[in-house]
Amino acid sequence: MSTNNLIAHTIPLQGKHLIEASAGTGKTFNITRIYLRLLLEKNLTVEQILVMTFTKDATEELRGRIDAFIRQALNEWDTLTVEDEYFISIAQQVDAVDAKIRLKQALLYLDEASIFTIHGFCKRVLSQHAFTSGQSFNLAMESDCNDVVLESTQDWYRVLAQQSSMSFLLVSEFWPTPTVFVNQFAKAIGRDNNLDLIDEVSVINSFKSVVNQALTSLQNNHTSLVTYLVDVKKGQDREVRIQELGQLVDWLTLLSNELGHEISTNLNAVLTLANGKMPDAFIDGKRYSRSVNKAELLEIFEPVKQIKTLCKGLAKSINRAKALTLVREGIYSIRQDVSDKKLTRDLVSFDDLISRLADQLTLHVETNPLAELLFKQFPVALVDEFQDTDPQQFTILQAIYYQQSSAALYMIGDPKQAIYGFRGGDVFAYLDARSGCDYQWIMDINWRSSESMIQGYNRLFYGNNLTSTAADVFKYNIDYIPVKPSPKAKDKQLEIEHLTHCNLYISPLKNLEVQLAKHLGLLWQCGVRMKLYVYWITHLHVTRK
Amino acid sequence: MPLQPFSIKNYNGSLKSFDNHWLNLAQQPSSHASINKNRGITDNLTVPLPDLIEYDATEFCYVMNLPLSQLITFFQHPSKYFAKKQLNLNFDIHSLELDDVEPFEFNSLQSYLLREQLIKAQLNEQTLSAEETEQAVQQCITAATLSGKFPEAITRDKTFESWKLDSESFSQTIQEHNAIVKHEAECTVTLELDNETSQLLIAAHNTRNEVTSDTAVESNNVNKVKVKLSTKLPISDNKLAFYRSSSPKFKDFVTLYFHQCLLNILKSEGQTNSNIELVSALQNITATHGFYFDTKSQKVTQFKYSDVVEPNTQLLKFISQYIIGLQQPLLVNGEIAEKAFKAKIFEQKEFELYWDDPNAMMSIGNDAYIHYFWPECPDYEYVQVQLEHLYAELFNEREQIK
C-alpha cells in the first residue's frame, strides 16, 4: 500500500485510514479539518462523529480546537471559500447557506459532541445500551477494585487453610498474608491470560543439567586436573589431593545418579545430599592461588561452583516452584471470584469497561446487534493517539467499523510516541492496524520547530546521514520518515538566554539545537513523552525571534 | 488600609488603633520560643501542678503517695505522660470499630501476651508436677486458639508450638538461676523531699484546697513533704527477679534500677523498719536481676544491679524530675540515653540521625508526642546535660551477666 501525504480536503471520507503524524506536523489541525468536512460534506451531526482520545485533557483541547475552527469557518466563510484551498474544495460540494446552517447547528450542539476518552466511550455505551450490552443500568464505577481483590484473596486463603494444611504452609512460607499476596500478584489477578511458570520439575531439571555439566567438565579435563593439582605435590600431600578430587567426583556422580531416578520418590535423597557437606576443596582457587594454570582450573571448576550456590537454595527453589503451582490455581480462582463479586455488586473498574465492551462486541462477530447499533449511532470515528491503543480497544473499533463497507475510521498516531505500555498501551496493536487499513497517510511537514531543530532530530531518529540508508532506530518495523521544515521554519530561532529556565544544562552552546535534539533523544529513550518536551521547549521556554 | 492588624505601626505611636495586648500575645510565644526552641525544653508551655499531696495528721506532715510503677511509666516517655495526664492529649489510635476480617498474621502485642502467659504457666509459684504444668500450658494454648486473635491456620499451631518450646527453654534458664519468684512482698519506702520541691507541692495543694478545718489550720505550719514510694518486690531465693519474653528495653532497666534502690534503702533501714516479715524476707537478697528472652536469636540475656550508691539521693532526683515533668514536657526519654550510652560517639549529627532515622520502624522524632512538643530536632548539648544528670548511674551500674 502506498503512503501519501495527507491533504485534508482530498482525503476520502470513507474507509479505514491510518494517519502517521510525527510531533508538530499538524495532527490536531488536520483532525479539525476532517471533522469539518464530515459535518458539511457527509451531513453528519456532532453527536454522530465519534472522536476518541486518551486523556480527559486531550478531549477538552480537541473540543476547543473544533469549536474555534467551526467559528472561524462560520465567521469567515465568504473570504475563506475564495482564498483557502481547503474551503474552496468544500464550497464546490456544499451550498453556502446550507453550510452556514450546519455550522451554526454544530456550534449549538457542540456540548453534546461525541468526543470521549476510550473509557468514557465504553461507559456511555454500556449504560446507554444496557439491554444490548447485557449490563446493569446502575454500574458503580470504581477507579480500582482492590478491596474486592483482597476480599477474594482472603477467601482463597481461608479455603486453602481448611482444605490442605501442607499447601497452606507452602504458600504462607513465601506470601504469609493475603495482603502480601495481592501486593505481589495484583497484576496477574487483574489480567485474563494464562500464566506460565517454572514448575518443580523444571527447577530440578535445570539443576540436573548443571550437575551433569560439572561432571562432564571434570571428566573431560581429568588429565589437566591431575597434572596441575595432583602432580605438583609429593608424598602425603599428593595422596590428600587425589583423595579430595576423588571425593568431589564421587559426590557429583552420586548426586547425578540420585537426580536420574524418579524425582517424586527420590527428592529427599537429593535434598539431603545437596544440603550436606560438599567436597569443595578446589572450587574457590585458594588451593592453587599461585599456580600459573589458575585461570584454566577456575574455568574447569566453574560449573561445580555454580552447583554449590544452587545447592544452598535448592530446597527453597523447589518449594517456591511448588508454591507457585498452587498460586497459579489460586489466581485463576481469585479472578473468577472477583469477577462474580463485581457482577453481583454492579461494580466496574476502568479496565473492566473496556474488556466488557470488547467481550460484548466479540460475542457474535458476524451479526452483533450492539456493533450494528453503535455503527448507526457513530458512522464515523476519529481516534487520536492511536499508538497507545491496547488490543482490546482495537477489538472494539474493529467490531464496529471493520464489518461495514460504508464506515469511515481515522486512526491517527505516531508509533514513536507509544508511551503507555505501563497501562496496557501496545504499539503492536498499532502495527496490526497498519496492515489492515485501506489507506495510509503521513504528515511530513513540521510546523512547530525551527529548521535546525528539525535537522537535529531528523538525524537523531534517522540514525544516519539523511542521504544514506536509515538505521533501525525504533525496531519493530517502525520506520522514521524525516520531516521537512515548514516555509516559516527559518524564522524560528532559539533565544539562548531563555534556556536558563530549562533544567537542561547543555554545553557547549554552539550547535545548540543539535545538542537539544540529542538531549530530547535521551529523554525519549527514558520513555518520557517526547512530544511534551518538544512542545515545552518550543512554546514555553524558547521564544522565537 | 488592608491588613491593618498585621502592621506593627498600628499598635504603637500616638495614633495606635489596636489594643497592645494583641501585640503582646502575638509576640510573646515567638520570643520565648526563639530562646528555647533548640534546648529540648519548652518552658513556654507550663501547666499548674496538680495536687499530689495530702496532710497526714498522725505524722504531722504532708505525704505524697507514689506507686513505683507510676514513676517507671513516667520515665518510659515523660512527654507522653505529661500530655496524657496534664493536657488530656491522647494520640494513641484506638479503633472503636471491630474489624470485619479475622487476623491473617500474628499481632505482635497478642503474641507477646501469650508468650508471657506461657512463661507464667511454666514458672508457677506453687510447685506443680510436670503434668500439671503441661496442663496449664495447654490451657493457655487452647484459650489462645479459641480466642480468634490468631490466624486460623496450621501456621498458628506451628507458631504456638515454637513459642511453647521457647517458654520451656526460658523457664528452664530462670530455674537454673534460682530466679523463680517465690512471693511478692508489698513494701513502702519513705523519702523526704527538699524544701523547694516541698513548697511547690504545698502551694499547689493550698490553691486547690480551701482552709476549712482544724487540721488544715494545723497543716499551715508544716513545710515538709514526704514521698511514700510503694511497690511489690518479686522475691526469689537470693534476688529480686524480673523476666520478660522479649529483648530488654529501657523500661526494664529503669524497673530493675528503681527496685534495687528500694532494696538498698530497705536493707539500710534494717531493724528500724517496722515490717519485720519483710526485713527477714530480704535478709539474703542483695541484687536485682532481669531475664530477657530474645525470640529471634533464641537467647536469654541477663542484667543485674547490685549496690546503688546513695539510693535515696538517686530516687529523689528522679522524683523531682517527675514533679517538673508534670508541669512541662521533658525530653529525657531513657531510650535516647541508652542509645547515647551504647554509641562510641553521640553528638549533634548522630542525634539528628537517630531523631529521624530512615531505617527505623519508628524513629523518636516521628513519635506523635515528641513531634508535637519538638517538631524539629533540638540541640543535643541541652538534651545531653539532662540525660546525663538523670541516667549516668543507671547505665554505669548496670551489669550484664554472660
Side-chain angles (χ1 to χ4, degrees):
Chain A
M1 192 189 318
S2 63
T3 307
N4 296 315
N5 261 324
L6 174 74
I7 302 166
H9 57 271
T10 57
I11 186 170
L13 297 182
Q14 201 166 329
K16 298 179 282 288
H17 302 256
L18 187 95
I19 303 167
E20 198 163 312
S22 293
T25 51
K27 193 174 59 172
T28 316
F29 176 85
N30 279 311
I31 290 176
T32 53
R33 291 187 163 226
I34 296 170
Y35 193 93
L36 195 84
R37 279 188 63 205
L38 290 165
L39 284 176
L40 299 176
E41 293 178 25
K42 293 283 251 180
N43 202 8
L44 294 169
T45 63
V46 288
E47 291 97 329
Q48 288 177 301
I49 307 171
L50 173 65
V51 182
M52 272 204 286
T53 185
F54 222 65
T55 62
K56 278 187 181 169
D57 288 349
T59 57
E60 288 314 306
E61 197 202 330
L62 257 176
R63 196 187 297 272
R65 292 280 291 268
I66 290 170
D67 184 359
F69 190 56
I70 297 175
R71 275 173 207 282
Q72 190 195 0
L74 187 63
N75 295 336
E76 301 169 25
W77 181 264
D78 298 327
T79 341
L80 289 170
T81 47
V82 179
E83 294 171 356
D84 190 312
E85 208 181 355
Y86 168 80
F87 284 98
I88 295 170
S89 159
I90 297 176
Q92 284 167 0
Q93 301 183 46
V94 190
D95 174 59
V97 180
D98 270 2
K100 284 181 186 171
I101 291 172
R102 280 180 213 157
L103 289 174
K104 273 184 191 164
Q105 195 184 19
L107 272 183
L108 197 63
Y109 288 100
L110 199 62
D111 282 345
E112 308 292 313
S114 305
I115 304 173
F116 300 118
T117 60
I118 178 79
H119 295 102
F121 171 70
C122 295
K123 172 137 202 283
R124 167 76 70 102
V125 168
L126 288 174
S127 46
Q128 203 171 43
H129 303 292
F131 280 119
T132 331
S133 66
Q135 302 296 316
S136 160
F137 286 105
N138 300 312
L139 284 179
M141 279 294 297
E142 294 284 333
S143 58
D144 59 56
C145 291
N146 292 343
D147 289 350
V148 183
V149 172
L150 183 62
E151 218 178 292
S152 298
T153 311
Q154 284 166 344
D155 281 349
W156 183 68
Y157 265 68
R158 286 175 187 127
V159 172
L160 192 67
Q162 295 307 316
Q163 284 183 348
S164 164
S165 299
M166 289 317 291
S167 304
F168 185 83
L169 270 182
L170 258 177
V171 173
S172 64
E173 184 186 342
F174 300 97
W175 303 280
T177 65
T179 317
V180 177
F181 187 93
V182 170
N183 285 345
Q184 172 117 32
F185 297 112
K187 265 192 177 173
I189 295 170
R191 292 197 179 150
D192 208 20
N193 56 344
N194 284 327
L195 300 169
D196 293 331
L197 51 85
I198 299 167
D199 60 6
E200 184 192 353
V201 179
S202 317
V203 172
I204 292 165
N205 282 345
S206 77
F207 180 65
K208 197 161 127 184
S209 77
V210 181
V211 172
N212 290 338
Q213 201 186 332
L215 207 53
T216 318
S217 169
L218 293 190
Q219 282 160 355
N220 290 350
N221 296 291
H222 186 70
T223 324
S224 310
L225 290 174
V226 171
T227 317
Y228 303 145
L229 286 176
V230 178
D231 292 347
V232 290
K233 295 282 176 185
K234 283 176 188 164
Q236 185 63 32
D237 286 351
R238 191 171 186 279
E239 289 306 313
V240 171
R241 291 225 160 166
I242 292 172
Q243 206 184 347
E244 284 175 341
L245 193 60
Q247 278 171 350
L248 178 60
V249 175
D250 289 349
W251 186 82
L252 283 171
T253 315
L254 186 60
L255 191 59
S256 173
N257 289 342
E258 296 291 5
L259 284 162
H261 293 123
E262 176 55 44
I263 205 66
S264 55
T265 52
N266 212 34
L267 185 60
N268 283 341
V270 171
L271 286 176
T272 314
L273 212 54
N275 292 333
K277 174 88 181 87
M278 179 181 177
D280 56 356
F282 299 116
I283 297 176
D284 54 10
K286 282 181 188 161
R287 286 288 176 88
Y288 40 86
S289 56
R290 277 176 291 175
S291 166
V292 284
N293 308 101
K294 189 181 172 185
E296 195 184 332
L297 285 168
L298 280 177
E299 202 183 321
I300 297 168
F301 283 117
E302 186 50 40
V304 188
K305 211 172 164 182
Q306 272 184 42
I307 292 175
K308 195 178 177 187
T309 323
L310 289 173
C311 277
K312 274 185 199 163
L314 186 65
K316 198 166 183 181
S317 304
I318 290 172
N319 275 352
R320 199 181 166 85
K322 282 183 186 169
L324 279 170
T325 316
L326 292 163
V327 163
R328 177 164 64 179
E329 293 312 312
I331 289 174
Y332 291 156
S333 131
I334 292 165
R335 277 178 184 171
Q336 186 56 48
D337 196 44
V338 168
S339 157
D340 292 348
K341 282 196 168 99
K342 280 186 189 170
L343 263 179
T344 335
R345 298 176 195 180
D346 274 351
L347 271 182
V348 276
S349 69
F350 284 117
D351 290 339
D352 291 337
L353 284 174
I354 295 172
S355 56
R356 286 197 188 184
L357 183 57
D359 288 348
Q360 289 301 325
L361 286 170
T362 46
L363 273 181
H364 311 285
V365 183
E366 296 302 321
T367 51
N368 187 299
L370 184 60
E372 291 281 344
L373 204 66
L374 290 177
F375 175 68
K376 275 186 192 144
Q377 193 177 358
F378 309 109
V380 174
L382 293 127
V383 187
D384 192 14
E385 307 288 8
F386 187 70
Q387 74 280 355
D388 290 322
T389 302
D390 71 25
Q392 277 193 321
Q393 295 165 16
F394 185 48
T395 310
I396 295 172
L397 294 171
Q398 274 180 314
I400 305 173
Y401 297 103
Y402 271 48
Q403 315 299 328
Q404 307 287 347
S405 54
S406 61
L409 174 66
Y410 299 88
M411 297 167 279
I412 306 124
D414 180 2
K416 300 188 290 301
Q417 295 183 51
I419 58 155
Y420 277 105
F422 68 91
R423 52 178 264 192
D426 185 353
V427 76
F428 298 103
Y430 177 93
L431 299 174
D432 274 354
R434 187 156 73 178
S435 58
C437 65
D438 305 324
Y439 304 93
Q440 250 191 68
W441 309 95
I442 54 159
M443 292 193 250
D444 67 349
I445 297 177
N446 184 305
W447 299 88
R448 191 180 283 161
S449 311
S450 71
E451 193 172 347
S452 32
M453 166 69 98
I454 292 167
Q455 193 195 353
Y457 69 69
N458 266 342
R459 280 288 306 275
L460 180 74
F461 295 146
Y462 197 69
N464 206 344
N465 272 329
L466 297 184
T467 47
S468 317
T469 326
D472 190 7
V473 174
F474 295 98
K475 316 283 179 195
Y476 310 113
N477 265 340
I478 300 173
D479 306 328
Y480 180 72
I481 300 159
V483 288
K484 298 174 193 128
S486 70
K488 290 179 183 172
K490 274 187 185 162
D491 305 334
K492 299 176 179 176
Q493 291 304 321
L494 294 169
E495 277 185 14
I496 291 166
E497 68 268 26
H498 286 87
L499 276 175
T500 48
H501 297 293
C502 300
N503 289 327
L504 311 174
Y505 177 70
I506 298 154
S507 177
L509 288 175
K510 283 178 189 172
N511 267 336
L512 177 69
E513 293 179 339
V514 176
Q515 292 284 341
L516 253 181
K518 279 185 185 167
H519 210 103
L520 292 174
L522 274 177
L523 291 170
W524 172 81
Q525 280 172 0
C526 299
V528 178
R529 185 163 219 162
M530 166 100 184
K531 189 181 127 188
L532 278 178
Y533 278 83
V534 170
Y535 181 82
W536 176 57
I537 285 165
T538 50
H539 288 254
L540 299 178
H541 293 294
V542 184
T543 57
R544 295 156 188 168
K545 267 183 182 168
Chain B
M1 201 170 81
L3 299 176
Q4 280 183 3
F6 302 101
S7 169
I8 201 160
K9 285 179 193 164
N10 293 324
Y11 292 94
N12 296 319
S14 56
L15 295 171
K16 58 186 171 188
S17 50
F18 286 92
D19 188 341
N20 248 348
H21 287 105
W22 291 110
L23 182 65
N24 293 339
L25 190 69
Q27 285 183 335
Q28 214 170 22
S30 62
S31 62
H32 253 253
S34 64
I35 300 165
N36 288 316
K37 82 173 177 192
N38 287 325
R39 292 195 176 187
I41 48 171
T42 51
D43 62 0
N44 55 333
L45 178 67
T46 51
V47 297
L49 200 58
D51 183 12
L52 299 169
I53 55 175
E54 55 190 32
Y55 183 66
D56 186 337
T58 55
E59 293 192 37
F60 304 110
C61 70
Y62 283 106
V63 173
M64 170 181 165
N65 288 308
L66 179 61
L68 192 62
S69 56
Q70 204 166 313
L71 202 60
I72 292 168
T73 313
F74 172 81
F75 283 101
Q76 259 179 271
H77 198 322
S79 53
K80 180 177 174 179
Y81 190 94
F82 170 75
K84 284 186 158 187
K85 289 272 175 189
Q86 293 292 82
L87 304 183
N88 215 0
L89 187 66
N90 205 330
F91 291 132
D92 298 346
I93 302 157
H94 296 294
S95 173
L96 291 175
E97 278 178 42
L98 286 174
D99 207 338
D100 281 340
V101 178
E102 77 278 22
F104 281 94
E105 56 193 325
F106 291 86
N107 173 296
S108 40
L109 177 61
Q110 293 302 339
S111 308
Y112 170 75
L113 290 175
L114 176 58
R115 290 205 303 271
E116 284 293 287
Q117 279 178 15
L118 290 174
I119 298 287
K120 209 174 165 190
Q122 299 270 6
L123 297 173
N124 209 299
E125 286 166 29
Q126 301 139 13
T127 36
L128 296 177
S129 67
E131 287 82 34
E132 284 168 324
T133 310
E134 176 63 23
Q135 214 174 354
V137 168
Q138 277 309 332
Q139 207 171 354
C140 286
I141 289 179
T142 313
T145 309
L146 298 174
S147 70
K149 290 169 182 166
F150 297 95
E152 198 72 23
I154 188 172
T155 39
R156 177 194 58 201
D157 305 337
K158 290 206 168 266
T159 312
F160 283 0
E161 190 55 35
S162 79
W163 287 346
K164 189 183 153 194
L165 292 175
D166 287 353
S167 71
E168 279 169 11
S169 127
F170 188 31
S171 59
Q172 203 178 341
T173 314
I174 293 168
Q175 278 171 355
E176 281 164 11
H177 286 83
N178 293 326
I180 299 179
V181 176
K182 297 280 168 56
H183 75 282
E184 291 192 324
E186 300 261 5
C187 79
T188 306
V189 163
T190 310
L191 302 164
E192 205 165 294
L193 280 179
D194 62 75
N195 277 340
E196 201 183 329
T197 319
S198 298
Q199 287 311 317
L200 203 69
L201 290 170
I202 293 166
H205 175 75
N206 289 340
T207 49
R208 283 175 168 73
N209 294 281
E210 286 177 19
V211 183
T212 51
S213 63
D214 291 344
T215 45
V217 175
E218 184 191 311
S219 67
N220 271 347
N221 303 320
V222 178
N223 57 6
K224 277 284 171 194
V225 176
K226 286 181 179 174
V227 180
K228 290 198 169 177
L229 267 181
S230 54
T231 189
K232 281 182 181 175
L233 297 177
I235 297 172
S236 77
D237 278 353
N238 57 353
K239 54 179 83 82
L240 298 184
F242 291 85
Y243 27 78
R244 271 195 335 115
S245 180
S246 154
S247 50
K249 311 280 182 323
F250 172 75
K251 70 172 172 189
D252 296 307
F253 301 128
V254 84
T255 306
L256 297 182
Y257 184 71
F258 284 174
H259 279 85
Q260 182 60 31
C261 287
L262 284 191
L263 178 67
N264 282 162
I265 295 168
L266 287 167
K267 296 212 48 140
S268 66
E269 284 173 359
Q271 297 307 321
T272 57
N273 194 313
S274 55
N275 191 341
I276 298 160
E277 202 181 320
L278 179 68
V279 171
S280 78
L282 295 177
Q283 207 171 8
N284 297 324
I285 294 173
T286 51
T288 308
H289 287 242
F291 297 83
Y292 307 95
F293 186 81
D294 191 331
T295 327
K296 263 188 194 161
S297 64
Q298 295 279 303
K299 274 183 189 165
V300 178
T301 42
Q302 194 189 151
F303 287 90
K304 169 189 168 190
Y305 282 96
S306 27
D307 283 329
V308 174
V309 185
E310 296 184 4
N312 293 49
T313 322
Q314 286 299 324
L315 283 176
L316 282 169
K317 175 177 79 180
F318 281 99
I319 293 165
S320 311
Q321 197 71 13
Y322 166 72
I323 291 164
I324 297 171
L326 287 174
Q327 300 165 73
Q328 64 183 61
L330 295 175
L331 189 59
V332 288
N333 296 46
E335 57 178 308
I336 308 176
E338 197 186 1
K339 180 79 186 170
F341 184 80
K342 276 185 188 165
K344 279 182 186 166
I345 302 168
F346 199 79
E347 290 167 356
Q348 184 65 24
K349 194 176 136 202
E350 288 76 20
F351 182 53
E352 279 174 18
L353 184 69
Y354 177 61
W355 186 267
D356 198 8
D357 187 351
N359 297 323
M361 287 273 280
M362 175 74 176
S363 63
I364 192 156
N366 289 328
D367 175 276
Y369 297 95
I370 301 261
H371 186 76
Y372 180 78
F373 295 115
W374 299 275
E376 283 172 28
C377 181
D379 284 349
Y380 183 61
E381 54 178 311
Y382 300 109
V383 179
Q384 187 182 15
V385 174
Q386 297 187 53
L387 291 179
E388 281 179 1
H389 164 70
L390 268 178
Y391 300 119
E393 289 84 3
L394 189 150
F395 286 112
N396 287 329
E397 289 175 18
R398 184 177 70 179
E399 199 182 322
Q400 182 167 8
I401 301 173
K402 288 181 180 168

